[in-house]
Amino acid sequence: MSKVKDPKLAEQGLKNIEFAEREMDALLKVRERFTKEKPLKGVRIGICLHITKETAVLIETLIAGGAEVTACSCNPLSTQDDVAAALAKKGIEVYAYKGESKEDYYKFLNKVIEFKPQITIDDGCDLVTEIHSKHKDLIEGVIGGAEETSTGVIRLRAMEKDNALKYPVIAVNDNKTKHLLDNYIGTGQSTIDGILRGTNILLAGKNAVVAGYGDCGKGVALRLRGMGANVIITEVNPFRAVQAVYDGYRVMPMDEAAKIGNVFITVTGNKHVIKTEHISTMKDGAILANSGHFDVEIDYSGLKQIALEAREIRPLVEEFTLKNGNKVLVLAQGRLCNLSLAEGHPSAVMATSFCGQALACEYLVKNKGKLPPKVITLPEELDNEIAGLQLEALETEIDELDQKQIEYLNSWKEST
Ligand code: ADE
């Protein structure tokens, strides 16, 4: 039996799923093929992803391929309750509501585990780690897993290094059609969307500090600049810092940026990138938002301890009064602001990310028993196939190499 906030929301959820499909042609093409070929016939897939309209399109694609699916959310604040209700109405088992307690979060994760998944799909690696630490008996029956996000892949690599990973997991995040589109284009737009839906502040003229200049940070910085903000980057990686300087941004340590920023966005994948020492020096009215996977990038609990007062001034916008009288605002309790305050990445971006998930499941089934218990990258042909499907969806054609060019690329004898 599913657990959702309100089954009556299903009608809007169904419409939203249909609306997402309009922008997800590439994934629908995969669904069309899956419907005919049934590559996932009878396979139990346990899903721990953000429960959004795009995830619903993925779930229905997996089911079209013959899979049985049970799903929970990978984040307590990201569930779209209407979508969860719609999935439940369609008879898909789903355990998720927006604002889940920690207790319910783990209860729901364990509902997916009770389903004895043969494939796990994670966004952040919680399903894999829960199975590996508390349900080792299930590992034997697992064909493999697929991981959506950078943070999850980092955790998986740490497990692999410790010899703790006991089944193969495909790092979908490492597909070019994932991190170079979703992390860059998707996080760029959806983060701005979350900040604006939460606060409706004018970004033009503001000092916007982006912590982290990976694919996500690059996207966020680019879109902020497009909105007229003065963008400042903080980094720990010297190469990325050089890239940021050459892209025309000011780069400085957080100690300095903290004093001049109006808006702060963390996208590092690390913890306590904004510490209470930084917050204490911030200007009155500074806004703090996170778009990294976990809620650890801003020291939110430290802030709660040093603040004199706290109140929710708008939904999911908390105002903290500091000892010096300044007020700072934190969005979505330091959780992903794009999925908590807005709707996450746009459907068109999720289309290619989720083609990666669907093809990863098919790849795991085709290679059942043959893959090592390691972090695995999908073959480049599959990544290129996804890009091809998206080009088709974008009605864009490209050139092909002719025979002479192929020979040229494969030869070493030709020169000036
Ligand atoms: N991650 C970021 N945006 C998302 C979305 N719209 N659906 C599922 N996962 C996401």
Side-chain angles (χ1 to χ4, degrees):
M1 262 308 266
S2 292
K3 175 84 178 75
V4 300
K5 183 162 269 167
D6 180 0
K8 291 198 288 299
L9 299 172
E11 201 183 322
Q12 184 58 56
L14 292 169
K15 287 184 192 152
N16 275 339
I17 296 169
E18 187 191 319
F19 194 67
E21 283 179 352
R22 292 172 177 219
E23 290 271 315
M24 300 181 83
D25 269 356
L27 187 57
L28 295 186
K29 276 264 156 59
V30 173
R31 185 188 288 177
E32 219 174 279
R33 180 170 69 74
F34 274 19
T35 305
K36 285 190 215 124
E37 298 175 7
K38 302 281 178 214
L40 307 175
K41 192 158 179 238
V43 178
R44 290 186 304 278
I45 301 184
I47 284 184
C48 180
L49 292 172
H50 300 290
I51 302 299
T52 63
K53 57 192 186 305
E54 294 75 24
T55 299
V57 181
L58 169 66
I59 290 174
E60 292 199 79
T61 301
L62 301 174
I63 292 172
E68 291 169 40
V69 173
T70 295
C72 68
S73 178
C74 65
N75 184 299
L77 283 183
S78 63
T79 297
Q80 294 169 3
D81 287 320
D82 58 342
V83 171
L87 286 171
K89 187 167 183 180
K90 284 171 185 268
I92 299 160
E93 257 188 61
V94 56
Y95 299 91
Y97 64 87
K98 189 176 179 112
E100 280 166 21
S101 61
K102 199 166 182 162
E103 194 192 341
D104 273 351
Y105 180 83
Y106 282 99
K107 198 163 110 192
F108 295 169
L109 195 63
N110 277 283
K111 284 286 183 192
V112 174
I113 292 170
E114 275 170 29
F115 169 66
K116 297 193 168 51
Q118 294 164 289
I119 291 180
T120 57
I121 301 185
D122 257 313
D123 185 331
C125 198
D126 280 351
L127 200 46
V128 167
T129 49
E130 189 81 356
I131 289 174
H132 278 72
S133 50
K134 300 195 194 126
H135 303 276
K136 292 192 175 70
D137 53 308
L138 294 184
I139 290 173
E140 214 193 329
V142 178
I143 301 169
E147 170 55 54
E148 174 74 7
T149 200
S150 327
T151 297
V153 173
I154 291 168
R155 292 179 85 189
L156 286 166
R157 292 228 156 89
M159 285 178 80
E160 186 185 315
K161 205 164 128 234
D162 277 355
N163 283 325
L165 186 62
K166 301 296 177 201
Y167 61 76
V169 183
I170 295 178
V172 172
N173 181 71
D174 292 358
N175 290 353
K176 289 203 207 86
T177 49
K178 201 284 181 178
H179 68 274
L180 295 180
L181 301 177
D182 172 312
N183 302 22
Y184 181 55
I185 310 287
T187 309
Q189 178 166 319
S190 63
T191 300
I192 308 294
D193 191 12
I195 294 169
L196 295 185
R197 288 201 214 188
T199 65
N200 198 29
I201 56 157
L202 179 69
L203 287 170
K206 295 279 194 305
N207 288 336
V209 180
V210 179
Y213 203 62
D215 295 321
C216 294
K218 287 186 176 87
V220 172
L222 185 72
R223 298 309 183 210
L224 282 168
R225 178 150 72 185
M227 299 292 282
N230 303 309
V231 181
I232 296 165
I233 305 293
T234 69
E235 247 304 340
V236 291
N237 176 309
F239 176 70
R240 285 181 175 172
V242 172
Q243 277 189 311
V245 172
Y246 286 171
D247 284 342
Y249 301 111
R250 279 191 289 167
V251 176
M252 61 184 77
M254 185 58 85
D255 282 349
E256 281 173 43
K259 295 181 202 142
I260 56 175
N262 304 109
V263 185
F264 295 82
I265 298 147
T266 52
V267 264
T268 66
N270 211 333
K271 73 187 283 192
H272 295 184
V273 178
I274 296 184
K275 306 182 199 314
T276 51
E277 299 91 283
H278 297 131
I279 298 173
S280 304
T281 66
M282 284 180 185
K283 297 210 268 193
D284 189 34
I287 294 173
L288 281 67
N290 168 51
S291 247
H293 183 77
F294 284 121
D295 60 342
V296 294
E297 305 213 8
I298 299 166
D299 184 5
Y300 177 69
S301 39
L303 170 59
K304 284 206 282 195
Q305 277 167 20
I306 64 160
L308 299 181
E309 260 180 67
R311 61 175 176 150
E312 190 171 52
I313 190 160
R314 285 161 67 90
L316 290 179
V317 180
E318 281 170 293
E319 180 197 70
F320 292 92
T321 306
L322 306 176
K323 279 200 192 91
N324 62 5
N326 284 352
K327 295 178 198 309
V328 297
L329 300 169
V330 178
L331 306 191
Q333 300 156 21
R335 295 197 183 276
L336 285 160
C337 72
N338 57 348
L339 281 138
S340 306
L341 282 157
E343 292 171 75
H345 300 349
S347 310
V349 172
M350 294 314 295
T352 49
S353 306
F354 283 167
C355 278
Q357 290 290 359
L359 297 192
C361 290
E362 183 179 36
Y363 185 79
L364 285 169
V365 173
K366 273 191 185 155
N367 292 284
K368 184 176 170 180
K370 290 189 223 150
L371 302 170
K374 289 186 182 311
V375 180
I376 288 167
T377 309
L378 269 189
E380 202 177 356
E381 308 90 79
L382 293 180
D383 209 359
N384 285 338
E385 181 186 327
I386 298 169
L389 287 170
Q390 189 64 5
L391 275 178
E392 231 179 275
L394 294 166
E395 296 179 350
T396 301
E397 289 181 16
I398 59 171
D399 289 323
E400 267 181 48
L401 294 172
D402 63 31
Q403 197 48 40
K404 288 219 161 68
Q405 289 172 320
I406 294 172
E407 280 163 23
Y408 177 77
L409 291 176
N410 286 313
S411 75
W412 52 273
K413 289 184 180 159
E414 246 182 272
S415 82
T416 41

